[in-house]
Amino acid sequence: MVAAVPYRASTLIPLLLVVGAIIASFIASSGPIQWMDNGVFLADASQGVFFSKTLGPLDHPLYLFVTTALYAGFGAHVLSLMNSLLLIPLAWAIYRLGKGVGASTQVALLSVAAAILCHCVFWVSTKAEVYLLHTLLVTLAYMLHFDESFRLSALKKLFLIGLLTGLAAAIHQLTFIVLLPLYLQLLWQNKWRMLITLPGFALGFSVAFAGIANELSSGSGLYDIGYRYLIGIPDRTAEQSWQGSLFRFDDMWHEKNSVALMLLSLIGPQLLGLVLFPKTPKLRVLWCAAMMNFIFAVSYNVTDRFTFFLPGAVLLSILGMMQLQALLQRAAALPLINASPLAAPVTILAVFAVYASGLINLPVHKEALPFRDDIHYFMAPYLSDRSAEAFVRSYEKSAPQGALIISDWTPYGALRSAQAAGALQNRTFELCEEVQDINAYLEGPGAYLARMSYCGTIADRFDLQTLAVGYELRAK
């Protein structure tokens, strides 16, 4: 039996896997210069604005506050490692949650390793992104409920769960989906005492109050503010309304590449956790939360839907490891159980090696980015990607100080985060759809276009002189 294996021997390998997984995240970090939203998050933190001025669907008030404080105290490089650092408290929370729902020490540690090495969790840990801090808070809420080693009264525990819920909601709206099963169980168990979660939630959500106050002063009502925060602006046809992207099962085949990218997070014990219904009430609550998260994320019609699956992936790591340990109740199976957290990185890196050798082709984005291999970037986060930094270094050579660099959103994040990190100083960056006075730069330091993708209207108005990366704009 597995239980007959000496305690120290049975826990040493899982512990080493956890430590190694966290170290691997630091090594694979994308650094202080990153693409798209990740780069913009880094740049926004450098502005010194601690409180969000609005509460829209793309505002993350608590994340803005934490990253701004971290940048002010330690600079861009440490900020870029924030999510790798957060893996340490997340590991503790997963371990305590696993123990709280009945896992052995060995299985709880293996659950931590499986969660960290899961594709979506590891990818986000190497980037500047909101979802890992959010997942930490959600995991802490479940941990606090199930871990009976905390000597707290029922009211104190409920208040703290409300506080964690408010903090998580001040980062992302996914909170209300992932914590719903927890709150249903709490309501069944506590009835009217659940009201104590409300002041806890208000305290946790207070970092967003400045944005709410600004919107109220501009004439918006509380209902409109809440509706826009949860779903987006009311107009379904507008760019910032997410209603048209929710539960799009009909469009999953058309967007099969992004669906397949999300399914990478089910390689390993997580798949067992998803497909096998657990027997105990505690595990069923976790399973319901993970399943709701999975259904939401897999049908959410955005390219990076895999980033919305972090809480579910963490919970499935616990469920999957417990299911695997139950299925393999022999000492001879111990090496297989210990190796199971490595299933995702080994499988993914093997496929990537075959792809890199040219033996197979994998689908990439139709709009290529300079220096970036999409398969490496999205599919193999275990290998460090510094393509955004390489892109920026090229522009430091080709665009002189005082120049204007025009781009779409993805390169824009790299350019802005580079400036926040001390590169590309005294250059101006504008989005293609927002830039206005280009001609003022043509007779001076110059105007440059990062790529023609999504910027056709700019390309049509000027002569384009091809550079090593992008184009120099000249009057026709």
Side-chain angles (χ1 to χ4, degrees):
M1 297 292 290
V2 173
V5 177
Y7 175 81
R8 184 174 298 177
S10 67
T11 58
L12 178 60
I13 292 177
L15 184 59
L16 290 175
L17 284 174
V18 171
V19 174
I22 294 174
I23 292 173
S25 173
F26 279 92
I27 295 172
S29 171
S30 291
I33 302 173
Q34 299 183 23
W35 299 107
M36 205 172 174
D37 292 358
N38 313 130
V40 173
F41 285 140
L42 291 167
D44 286 347
S46 71
Q47 302 301 303
V49 178
F50 286 86
F51 297 98
S52 176
K53 294 182 171 59
T54 58
L55 187 64
L58 300 181
D59 291 314
H60 312 285
L62 179 60
Y63 182 81
L64 175 65
F65 181 86
V66 171
T67 53
T68 301
L70 196 58
Y71 180 92
F74 300 98
H77 185 71
V78 171
L79 175 59
S80 72
L81 296 172
M82 186 183 91
N83 281 345
S84 293
L85 290 165
L86 285 175
L87 289 177
I88 299 171
L90 179 63
W92 177 79
I94 296 171
Y95 174 78
R96 293 306 315 172
L97 175 56
K99 295 282 286 183
V101 295
S104 65
T105 298
Q106 176 203 14
V107 170
L109 287 170
L110 288 172
S111 299
V112 175
I116 295 173
L117 292 172
C118 179
H119 173 269
C120 64
V121 177
F122 199 93
W123 192 94
V124 170
S125 78
T126 65
K127 306 289 187 293
E129 190 55 270
V130 304
Y131 303 103
L132 209 139
L133 179 57
H134 175 261
T135 298
L136 171 61
L137 295 168
V138 167
T139 305
L140 285 171
Y142 275 103
M143 180 206 73
L144 193 60
H145 175 58
F146 286 120
D147 190 345
E148 297 178 359
S149 65
F150 292 100
R151 304 299 181 185
L152 297 171
S153 67
L155 288 178
K156 287 181 180 178
K157 185 175 287 190
L158 288 171
F159 178 84
L160 289 175
I161 290 174
L163 174 66
L164 290 167
T165 305
L167 290 169
I171 296 177
H172 206 279
Q173 303 88 331
L174 184 61
T175 303
F176 302 107
I177 293 176
V178 182
L179 288 183
L180 179 60
L182 172 62
Y183 271 77
L184 290 176
Q185 185 175 69
L186 288 173
L187 182 61
W188 175 262
Q189 293 175 345
N190 295 279
K191 305 296 189 294
W192 62 269
R193 289 185 297 181
M194 279 292 292
L195 293 174
I196 196 64
T197 62
L198 296 177
F201 179 90
L203 180 61
F205 200 67
S206 61
V207 71
F209 287 174
I212 295 174
N214 285 337
E215 298 219 35
L216 288 172
S217 65
S218 66
S220 298
L222 280 175
Y223 174 82
D224 293 333
I225 296 170
Y227 187 93
R228 188 165 65 92
Y229 162 69
L230 289 173
I231 299 179
I233 58 180
D235 182 4
R236 285 173 176 261
T237 63
E239 184 179 350
Q240 289 190 19
S241 176
W242 310 122
Q243 296 179 68
S245 298
L246 295 172
F247 304 112
R248 291 299 304 272
F249 299 100
D250 58 311
D251 213 25
M252 285 174 59
W253 179 251
H254 181 264
E255 298 297 331
K256 54 185 175 295
N257 291 343
S258 62
V259 173
L261 196 60
M262 180 184 152
L263 295 181
L264 295 178
S265 296
L266 295 179
I267 297 175
Q270 292 82 6
L271 182 60
L272 281 178
L274 183 69
V275 300
L276 298 180
F277 189 67
K279 297 179 181 179
T280 66
K282 289 181 178 181
L283 296 181
R284 287 172 184 168
V285 173
L286 299 188
W287 185 87
C288 288
M291 179 60 77
M292 290 175 65
N293 190 186
F294 175 79
I295 293 171
F296 170 82
V298 78
S299 63
Y300 191 29
N301 195 31
V302 294
T303 302
D304 61 346
R305 67 187 74 198
F306 71 94
T307 60
F308 292 83
F309 189 46
L310 266 70
V314 165
L315 299 180
L316 290 178
S317 297
I318 298 171
L319 293 167
M321 283 306 313
M322 294 182 71
Q323 293 282 14
L324 184 63
Q325 194 269 343
L327 291 172
L328 302 176
Q329 285 284 352
R330 294 179 302 169
L334 183 60
L336 180 60
I337 295 174
N338 282 338
S340 60
L342 297 172
V346 168
T347 303
I348 289 171
L349 290 175
V351 173
F352 179 76
V354 176
Y355 158 80
S357 69
L359 294 177
I360 60 172
N361 290 320
L362 295 173
V364 297
H365 199 287
K366 62 181 180 180
E367 304 292 348
L369 278 165
F371 300 105
R372 192 176 91 177
D373 180 326
D374 281 348
I375 303 302
H376 176 187
Y377 181 77
F378 284 111
M379 194 186 84
Y382 313 102
L383 304 174
S384 178
D385 178 274
R386 295 296 183 103
S387 55
E389 182 177 345
F391 166 77
V392 165
R393 298 307 176 200
S394 175
Y395 259 105
E396 280 195 309
K397 298 175 183 176
S398 60
Q401 293 196 22
L404 169 68
I405 304 175
I406 308 165
S407 70
D408 60 281
W409 183 253
T410 301
Y412 182 73
L415 296 168
R416 284 199 58 203
S417 59
Q419 199 164 74
L424 283 177
Q425 296 300 299
N426 300 315
R427 278 85 164 180
T428 300
F429 312 126
E430 294 283 356
L431 290 166
C432 299
E433 62 271 21
E434 296 179 0
V435 64
Q436 294 180 353
D437 194 7
I438 300 175
N439 291 324
Y441 290 87
L442 296 183
E443 298 178 0
Y448 298 82
L449 182 65
R451 60 174 180 168
M452 286 192 285
S453 304
Y454 312 109
C455 297
T457 56
I458 302 294
D460 292 341
R461 290 163 49 194
F462 299 92
D463 282 331
L464 304 182
Q465 302 297 314
T466 303
L467 303 174
V469 175
Y471 308 89
E472 182 179 359
L473 301 182
R474 294 183 182 176
K476 283 190 174 180

